[in-house]
Amino acid sequence: MTRISFDNPGGWESANLYAYYGSPVPMPLGAWPDQSMTKDAQGNFYINLPEEYLDLNVKIIFSQPGTSN
C-alpha cells in the first residue's frame, strides 16, 4: 500500500479524496469520487492506496464533505 496524506491546514472535521489518471479523459480509480479519508491523532487525514497506483501517474483532489472546499 501507498499512504496519501493531507495535512489539514483549515482544520476540517472530515476529508474525502478523489483520484484519477489518464489523458485526455481522466479515469477514476476504484469507487471514487469521494473516498473517505481517516483522521489521525494530529488532526490530519490519510488513505492507503494499492501500490500499483504509483505507476499510473495518479492525480488527486481533496474535498471537505458537505462544502464547496
Side-chain angles (χ1 to χ4, degrees):
M1 292 290 191
T2 298
R3 180 161 285 188
I4 303 296
S5 299
F6 175 60
D7 290 339
N8 195 19
W12 295 0
E13 290 300 316
S14 58
N16 290 343
L17 175 89
Y18 175 69
Y20 62 96
Y21 72 97
S23 181
V25 178
M27 301 297 294
L29 298 170
W32 295 313
D34 294 327
Q35 180 68 33
S36 295
M37 300 182 78
T38 302
K39 193 172 187 179
D40 66 19
Q42 291 76 37
N44 300 317
F45 297 96
Y46 68 90
I47 192 168
N48 294 320
L49 300 177
E51 196 71 32
E52 60 266 20
Y53 288 4
L54 287 176
D55 297 329
L56 296 175
N57 193 24
V58 173
K59 279 81 170 169
I60 56 174
I61 298 170
F62 300 103
S63 65
Q64 183 181 22
T67 73
S68 61
N69 295 334

